[in-house]
Amino acid sequence: KTPIAVTALSSQALRDRNVTSILDIQNYVPDLSVGSRSGTGAGSGGVSIRGMGVDATGSSAAVGIYEDDVYIPSGTGSVGAGNLLGFFDVARVEVLRGPQGTLFGRNTIAGAVQYVTNAPEDEFGGYVDVTGGTDARADFQGALNIPLGDSFAVRIAGISTTEGGYVHDILDNTDRGASRMQGLRLRASWTPPTRLTIDLKGEVLHESTNGRAVLVSGVNPNAQFVGLAQLFGEIRPLDDSYLSPGKYRSVGFNAPDYFRYDSTEAQAIVNYEISDDLDFKSISAYSTSRPRLAQDFDNTPLSIYSSLPAHQKLGVLTQELQPLQQAPSERL
C-alpha cells in the first residue's frame, strides 16, 4: 500500500532490447546512470540513481548491487564482477529507487539494483544464442536445464564474448580496444517433500582487454610536467609528430596497456518453513576477485606518464539471516 518507484525488466524485455550488460539498462530506466572506467571494459564502474553514486575513490557506493539475493560490496567504490560481467542467463532485473535500507541494508541510500539469474526447473531444456559482427565480434551464450528426479535439478549456463579492436596502433601493429569475456555458472536446487529448500550456485568469470582505444588529438610541448623524454636513445620534446595520423590510427604506447579481471563466487541459500506464517532463510556467499591493470596515460611512445602494473586480490564473505513472518492481523 506504500507507493515505491520500481523498474523491473523481464528476460523477454531484456532480449527485445538487446541488453547485454547493466551498462545497457540505463537506456531504459529513468534516473539510472551507469559508467565503466576507461580501459577496464565492463570490469568496473559506477552506478548512480537520482544523481547519487560514488563520492570518491575508496568510498562505499550509495547504490546496493545484488545478485540472487547476495550483496556485492564495492570495495573501491566500483561495481563488482557480478554486476557488469556476469550478465547472462538472467531472469529479470530490478531497479529500486532509494532509500532501501529496510529490505536491502545500509548501502542503499540511493537505491538498489538486483538481478536474478534463471533457477533450475523441473523440465529438460535449454537454449543457445549466437551473435556475430564486424571487428571480429563473436558472442555465444547458452544454458542447459537438467532435472534429476522429482526434487532435484541443475542448470548450467555459459557465455563467451570476443570483440576485436578498432584503433590501429602503428607502433606495434596492434588493434587497441579488443576485449574478451568468458563466464560459467552452475546452479542446483533441491526441494525435498518437506518444508526445506536448498539452492546452490557457483560462478567463474574472466575478462581481458588489450588496451584503450584512444587517439591523441593535441599536445602541449610547454606543459611543465612533460619536459623531455627518452625515445630510442634520443632526447625529443613532445610535439605534433605524436598526433594520431587518422581517425582510427594511433601513434602507439611505450608501456603495456591492459586490464584483466578474474572472479569466482559460491553461494548457498537455505529456506525452512517453520510454520505456515514463519520462514527462516539463510543466505551465505563467498567470492574472490583479482583485477590487474596497467595504463600508459600519455598515449604516446614517450616515457612521460604511465601507471605501474597494479594487482589486487579481494575476498568477501557474507552471511545473512532472515526470519520472515506474516502476522495474523496482516498489519505487521
Side-chain angles (χ1 to χ4, degrees):
K1 297 180 181 180
T2 303
I4 186 173
V6 178
T7 300
L9 299 175
S10 66
S11 59
Q12 186 61 46
L14 298 174
R15 177 187 292 269
D16 293 342
R17 292 164 174 78
N18 195 30
V19 172
T20 59
S21 76
I22 195 174
L23 293 170
D24 301 326
I25 295 178
Q26 63 181 329
N27 299 324
Y28 309 101
V29 178
D31 52 57
L32 173 69
S33 176
V34 184
S36 62
R37 296 185 177 180
S38 176
T40 64
S44 64
V47 181
S48 299
I49 295 179
R50 290 171 173 166
M52 298 180 63
V54 179
D55 294 331
T57 300
S59 66
S60 295
V63 180
I65 307 296
Y66 288 79
E67 178 186 348
D68 294 329
D69 289 334
V70 174
Y71 172 66
I72 302 177
S74 59
T76 59
S78 62
V79 296
N83 310 289
L84 300 186
L85 291 180
F87 203 90
F88 61 98
D89 198 34
V90 174
R92 68 182 183 275
V93 177
E94 306 165 353
V95 179
L96 304 92
R97 292 153 187 84
Q100 290 291 333
T102 301
L103 298 178
F104 286 94
R106 71 174 184 88
N107 293 317
T108 54
I109 186 65
V113 176
Q114 174 171 242
Y115 70 90
V116 181
T117 63
N118 286 310
E121 301 174 348
D122 57 2
E123 294 184 2
F124 182 84
Y127 71 91
V128 175
D129 284 342
V130 179
T131 302
T134 59
D135 294 321
R137 180 181 176 183
D139 299 348
F140 302 90
Q141 180 181 162
L144 181 63
N145 193 87
I146 307 174
L148 301 173
D150 296 333
S151 60
F152 188 76
V154 298
R155 186 179 184 90
I156 303 173
I159 187 173
S160 175
T161 65
T162 303
E163 188 170 6
Y166 54 93
V167 172
H168 186 68
D169 186 340
I170 61 178
L171 181 66
D172 58 8
N173 196 30
T174 300
D175 290 330
R176 299 285 179 174
S179 64
R180 187 177 183 182
M181 192 265 283
Q182 296 91 30
L184 181 65
R185 179 187 300 130
L186 174 64
R187 290 196 61 175
S189 179
W190 183 39
T191 55
T194 62
R195 296 177 177 266
L196 179 68
T197 301
I198 299 177
D199 290 306
L200 305 176
K201 186 181 77 171
E203 190 173 275
V204 179
L205 292 167
H206 168 78
E207 187 202 14
S208 62
T209 71
N210 72 337
R212 297 159 296 145
V214 297
L215 299 174
V216 179
S217 60
V219 298
N220 179 9
N222 299 319
Q224 294 182 1
F225 78 94
V226 173
L228 301 177
Q230 184 78 25
L231 178 66
F232 304 124
E234 178 184 359
I235 298 297
R236 289 188 185 179
L238 182 61
D239 54 34
D240 291 344
S241 63
Y242 303 109
L243 295 180
S244 296
K247 188 175 182 180
Y248 296 107
R249 294 171 66 84
S250 171
V251 292
F253 300 156
N254 69 292
D257 213 53
Y258 65 85
F259 175 77
R260 301 184 184 96
Y261 193 100
D262 294 279
S263 70
T264 61
E265 180 186 3
Q267 74 176 56
I269 299 179
V270 180
N271 189 87
Y272 185 75
E273 298 180 11
I274 298 177
S275 63
D276 292 339
D277 58 359
L278 177 62
D279 285 14
F280 189 81
K281 189 175 184 179
S282 171
I283 304 173
S284 308
Y286 180 74
S287 63
T288 64
S289 60
R290 185 187 179 192
R292 288 157 288 172
L293 172 69
Q295 288 183 316
D296 182 9
F297 292 109
D298 60 79
N299 307 324
T300 72
L302 302 182
S303 301
I304 297 175
Y305 185 40
S306 62
S307 67
L308 294 175
H311 294 189
Q312 295 179 338
K313 291 183 179 180
L314 177 66
V316 178
L317 174 65
T318 62
Q319 175 63 55
E320 184 173 351
L321 301 176
Q322 297 179 346
L324 309 172
Q325 184 174 18
Q326 178 69 51
S329 64
E330 296 186 357
R331 298 171 66 105
L332 179 64

